[in-house]
Amino acid sequence: MKLLFLRKLSAFVLLICSAPFFVGTPTYAIDEYYRFPEYSSPEKIQFEKERKLCIFPLRNLSGDSSLDFYSSGYASVLYSGLKSLVQIYDESLIPKSIQHSFGPNPSGVKPNLREGEWDYTGLEKLKKGELSLNVSRDPRYLILKVQPYETETAPDEGFIIPISRKYDCFYSTYGEFEKKGEEIRISIRIRSSKDGSKKEFSHKTSVRRSYQELSPVTEEIRKTLLGKHTKSLSVKTGNQYDSLVFLDGNYIGKTPLKRNDILSGIHDVRITKNGYSDWIGQVDLRESPKDLDIVLEKDKKEGFLSVDSDPQGAKVYLGSEYLGVTPLVKVPVKIGWNRLRFVLGDHVDQFKGVEIKKGEVSEVKARLKEGESVSYYRNKKYLFLDHTYDDFAIYSLYGSLFFYAGYYYFNLRADQALENARPMVQITNFAALQELQQSSPNFQTFALSYFYQESIYNDAKSKSDYFRSISGRFGKHQGIHGGLMLYGIGTMLILSATFYALGLDSETLEVGVAPVKTMPTFVRGLEGQYETESYAKFNMKF
């Protein structure tokens, strides 16, 4: 204790002795010492962008457990009526983060605000109507997400706050119902975590039609959540149906679409359908309802190709499609991988792989070497535009499959022609003919019946023979009977074998590099560099 006293006394004496040294030395406040007033920090406010509505079951106050199914049932009905809500309006904004201004702000200097950031000046102009913004940029328009919780225990008044916090609910619907005779009294409350306020909706309905007659309550809750008057929006896409409609980035339905609960304002609209180009535009619903009838254009799925060659004037083929003579600038072509072929007299054909991307410009340039393509490319199967003998062998196989399908189809038609006549013809053998004669009252009736059935059979046989003449027929018992489809199958198989044989070659090199002899022989390549057989590659995809 004595030691502590001596330490304090020594410190006091030291301060008294040091005081003369500080006489005349200026003292500063904290903000002056660190020069805070010289720095400026603009005010920035960011607001919430979405809210969540939780729908909970209603409590059963009837004491009749057989009515418990209504508890989650009413929650499901509410969800069905409110799930289409995607946007609400709240004039009283809730800040998500606030950055207070600090330091002097030179006059005329505006704060650099990013998308979604505001200052108080901008907010005042917005509330006074001096700013006209799209709904997507106006912070007072919020996305609403609706989520049912039918499996939860129906909460009472004292439990609604904890369960709302558990599921991060901004709005919560809860309540109770009670059966009185043949009538059900329903009380539904919606609680807002903004200020803890509650609004109650009461309804009386019959037991039998309690679900169907809950719509008035649902409509009142919708109006409360929307927070602003609404307008009607109709969207059609001509003769096209099932186009998806997005309002301010939120999906609101398929065309033809009719919505009566769209908040007034300037909305961004996007209409999309597979195989068609998106339609993007705006609709002004501040004053009156709108009807849109949009004709979507086919998605061309095009990219662009700019091609040049050295020397210029070369013909350019994309696959087997002729594009023109170099130089070519931004030629619209289909997207995907393909091969370019450059053809110029007295020069070796040049092949290049290219990928065309939608909406982008692909640039390709080729340097052509003087010479003859026939001698330069020993493997002749690559010299028929951009299709090889191997390609035509495969095409021929596809052709044989096509003719085989025709063969099967016409044989089926021939069998059907006879089968359709079978129920109308009884004289299929001698016994049937004898039975017909015995059942006929006289010879005239027998003759009429006989010739009538024979005409039906002859007509069916004629149709069957016609279809057989087109298809042909072959089999173990029938032998081979020539027909157009059989001739086509045979021709395609012969062509396939012929093209395959023409494509056989000792060369195994890919397109794009000169075939060379085996090591150690060298040849000079297109770029003036020496190439060896191991370098003869073509790494592009087709």
Side-chain angles (χ1 to χ4, degrees), residues 91-120:
E91 187 71 30
S92 302
L93 305 173
I94 299 180
K96 188 176 180 181
S97 66
I98 301 177
Q99 176 178 304
H100 292 283
S101 58
F102 178 80
N105 186 13
S107 59
V109 177
K110 297 182 179 180
N112 184 21
L113 299 176
R114 298 178 181 178
E115 183 71 25
E117 296 179 339
W118 291 83
D119 58 8
Y120 288 102

Side-chain angles (χ1 to χ4, degrees), residues 273-451:
K273 183 178 176 63
N274 189 27
Y276 293 83
S277 298
D278 291 357
W279 182 89
I280 299 176
Q282 291 183 346
V283 58
D284 191 346
L285 294 177
R286 290 176 296 181
E287 302 296 334
S288 60
K290 296 293 182 182
D291 295 328
L292 297 179
D293 194 351
I294 307 299
V295 178
L296 299 179
E297 296 182 358
K298 284 275 189 179
D299 189 357
K300 297 180 180 179
K301 294 184 179 179
E302 285 185 346
F304 300 93
L305 185 63
S306 293
V307 186
D308 201 358
S309 64
D310 181 19
Q312 293 182 342
K315 295 180 180 179
V316 181
Y317 295 87
L318 182 68
S320 58
E321 178 187 1
Y322 175 66
L323 298 183
V325 177
T326 57
L328 299 173
V329 180
K330 289 192 69 173
V331 179
V333 291
K334 292 182 179 180
I335 61 174
W337 284 95
N338 215 321
R339 279 187 289 192
L340 280 172
R341 184 187 186 197
F342 297 81
V343 180
L344 183 62
D346 298 327
H347 288 76
V348 177
D349 292 359
Q350 175 72 280
F351 295 87
K352 283 187 176 290
V354 62
E355 182 185 12
I356 311 298
K357 296 182 179 180
K358 185 177 180 180
E360 298 184 12
V361 181
S362 301
E363 297 182 356
V364 180
K365 186 172 182 178
R367 181 179 297 177
L368 303 180
K369 176 186 177 181
E370 293 184 358
E372 293 183 356
S373 298
V374 175
S375 58
Y376 190 81
Y377 294 111
R378 297 185 182 180
N379 196 333
K380 308 301 186 298
K381 68 179 183 178
Y382 291 112
L383 294 180
F384 189 37
L385 289 181
D386 202 40
H387 294 275
T388 69
Y389 288 126
D390 291 345
D391 294 332
F392 282 103
I394 295 174
Y395 300 158
S396 299
L397 283 177
Y398 288 155
S400 67
L401 292 176
F402 171 78
F403 281 108
Y404 179 77
Y407 165 81
Y408 181 82
Y409 170 76
F410 286 110
N411 268 300
L412 183 64
R413 290 291 303 273
D415 292 338
Q416 285 180 343
L418 293 176
E419 287 296 324
N420 292 337
R422 188 180 300 276
M424 297 181 288
V425 178
Q426 301 175 1
I427 50 173
T428 56
N429 51 46
F430 180 77
L433 182 63
Q434 190 176 19
E435 183 180 353
L436 176 63
Q437 182 182 8
Q438 293 175 357
S439 60
S440 300
N442 51 54
F443 179 78
Q444 184 178 3
T445 304
F446 167 74
L448 287 174
S449 179
Y450 174 81
F451 287 116

Side-chain angles (χ1 to χ4, degrees), residues 58 73-85 184 186 188 201-206 209-224:
L58 306 185
Y74 289 134
S76 298
V77 174
L78 283 176
Y79 173 67
S80 298
L82 298 175
K83 67 180 180 180
S84 61
L85 276 177
I184 287 187
I186 303 173
I188 299 176
F201 306 87
S202 299
H203 185 61
K204 295 180 181 180
T205 179
S206 62
R209 294 183 55 82
S210 59
Y211 284 164
Q212 295 88 335
E213 294 176 358
L214 199 62
S215 56
V217 178
T218 305
E219 193 60 32
E220 286 298 318
I221 295 176
R222 286 175 67 90
K223 291 180 181 179
T224 300

Side-chain angles (χ1 to χ4, degrees), residues 389 392-394 396-397 491-501:
Y389 288 126
F392 282 103
I394 295 174
S396 299
L397 283 177
T491 303
M492 290 297 106
L493 291 176
I494 293 172
L495 287 176
S496 178
T498 303
F499 285 126
Y500 180 76

Side-chain angles (χ1 to χ4, degrees), residues 483-510:
L484 179 61
M485 297 298 111
L486 278 183
Y487 294 146
I489 293 173
T491 303
M492 290 297 106
L493 291 176
I494 293 172
L495 287 176
S496 178
T498 303
F499 285 126
Y500 180 76
L502 290 174
L504 293 176
D505 197 288
S506 59
E507 300 289 346
T508 58
L509 302 177
E510 294 289 344

Side-chain angles (χ1 to χ4, degrees), residues 516-535:
V516 296
K517 296 181 179 179
T518 56
M519 298 288 287
T521 307
F522 298 89
V523 296
R524 187 176 294 275
L526 295 179
E527 305 296 332
Q529 303 294 326
Y530 284 102
E531 299 175 351
T532 66
E533 191 171 30
S534 61
Y535 184 73

